[in-house]
C-alpha cells in the first residue's frame, strides 16, 4: 500500500488535524467559560457584600481573579501543548517524566518563594490587613504601604521602609481594624 503524499495528508488532516483543531477550540472555550465565571462571581460578591465596597477589597478581588486566570492559562497551555504533541505522533511519556523531575527539583529550590506566595495569597484572601492599616508584624510596627503577592511593605514611624516576606509572618497585630483609640493630651 504505497500511498502518495496528497492521500496521506488528506488522511492526516481528516483524523489528527480535526482533533488538533478541536483541542485548540476546546481550550479557547474553556478559557472563555472560566473567565466569564470569574467575572460573574466578582460581580455577585460585590452585590452580596456590604453596600460600601472599599477600593482595597476591590483590588484584592481583582488580584485574586488575576492569579486564578494566570494559573488557568498556564494549565490550559501545557495541557493543550501535550495533547497536540501526542496527536502529531510524539511520545510525551518521557516529556512528562522529565517535567515531573524538574517540578520536584524546582519545588525544593523554590520553597521559600512558594511559601511567601501562599502567605500573600491568604493575606489577600482573608483580608487580614489592607493598605493604610497600622500593623505590628513581629518587632516592626508601621503603616502598610503595599501588599504584594510575595512581600508586604511597611513604613515605621521614623520613615524606614521594611520589606517583609509574607511567608515569614507569624503573628500580625492589626491596630486599626474595626477598633482604634487615640490618646489626646
Amino acid at each position: 500500500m504505497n500511498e502518495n503524499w496528497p492521500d496521506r495528508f488528506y488522511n492526516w488532516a481528516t483524523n489528527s488535524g480535526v482533533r488538533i483543531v478541536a483541542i485548540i477550540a476546546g481550550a479557547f472555550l474553556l478559557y472563555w467559560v472560566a473567565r466569564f465565571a470569574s467575572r460573574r462571581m466578582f460581580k455577585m460578591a460585590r452585590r452580596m457584600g456590604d453596600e460600601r465596597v472599599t477600593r482595597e477589597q476591590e483590588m484584592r478581588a481583582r488580584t485574586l481573579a488575576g492569579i486564578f486566570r494566570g494559573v488557568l492559562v498556564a494549565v490550559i497551555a501545557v495541557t493543550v501543548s501535550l495533547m497536540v504533541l501526542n496527536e502529531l505522533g510524539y511520545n510525551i511519556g518521557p516529556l512528562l517524566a522529565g517535567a515531573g523531575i524538574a517540578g520536584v527539583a524546582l519545588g525544593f529550590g523554590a520553597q521559600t518563594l512558594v511559601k511567601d506566595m501562599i502567605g500573600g495569597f491568604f493575606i489577600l484572601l482573608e483580608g487580614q490587613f489592607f493598605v493604610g492599616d497600622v500593623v505590628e508584624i513581629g518587632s516592626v510596627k508601621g503603616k502598610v504601604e503595599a501588599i504584594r503577592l510575595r512581600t508586604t511593605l511597611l513604613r515605621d514611624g521614623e520613615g524606614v521602609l521594611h520589606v517583609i516576606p509574607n511567608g515569614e509572618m507569624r503573628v500580625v497585630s492589626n491596630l486599626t481594624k474595626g477598633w482604634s483609640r487615640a490618646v489626646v493630651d
Side-chain angles (χ1 to χ4, degrees):
M1 294 186 7
N2 191 0
E3 298 180 63
N4 57 9
W5 71 268
D7 290 336
R8 284 195 317 229
F9 177 76
Y10 177 76
N11 288 335
W12 178 85
T14 56
N15 292 320
S16 294
V18 170
R19 285 194 290 259
I20 289 172
V21 170
I23 289 168
I24 293 171
F28 279 114
L29 181 66
L30 180 63
Y31 175 73
W32 183 80
V33 167
R35 188 173 164 188
F36 175 77
S38 71
R39 286 182 179 178
R40 186 86 169 164
M41 287 188 301
F42 178 72
K43 288 179 184 177
M44 285 176 52
R46 286 189 70 186
R47 270 189 252 130
M48 290 174 53
D50 192 4
E51 288 296 319
R52 52 182 178 85
V53 176
T54 65
R55 180 176 177 267
E56 194 64 40
Q57 289 169 327
E58 188 170 329
M59 286 175 50
R60 177 175 49 155
R62 288 189 192 283
T63 302
L64 292 174
I67 292 169
F68 172 73
R69 215 171 335 198
V71 168
L72 182 68
V73 166
V75 168
I76 289 173
V78 169
T79 303
V80 166
S81 299
L82 290 174
M83 291 175 75
V84 167
L85 285 174
N86 191 36
E87 283 299 319
L88 291 174
Y90 291 100
N91 184 7
I92 61 171
L95 190 60
L96 289 174
I101 292 169
V104 169
L106 186 65
F108 281 126
Q111 283 181 349
T112 305
L113 176 68
V114 171
K115 183 172 74 169
D116 291 342
M117 292 180 78
I118 290 172
F121 178 77
F122 281 111
I123 288 170
L124 291 169
L125 181 68
E126 296 172 353
Q128 296 172 3
F129 53 86
F130 300 110
V131 172
D133 283 349
V134 176
V135 297
E136 185 173 352
I137 301 172
S139 63
V140 179
K141 182 181 191 180
K143 185 175 181 179
V144 177
E145 285 198 355
I147 303 171
R148 299 180 183 151
L149 195 56
R150 202 178 68 73
T151 59
T152 296
L153 304 178
L154 195 68
R155 186 161 314 265
D156 66 12
E158 296 176 3
V160 178
L161 182 66
H162 300 274
V163 180
I164 303 169
N166 292 330
E168 299 296 320
M169 294 183 199
R170 297 289 172 249
V171 176
V172 177
S173 303
N174 191 334
L175 306 174
T176 56
K177 188 169 187 170
W179 183 85
S180 63
R181 174 177 61 187
V183 178
V184 179
D185 288 335

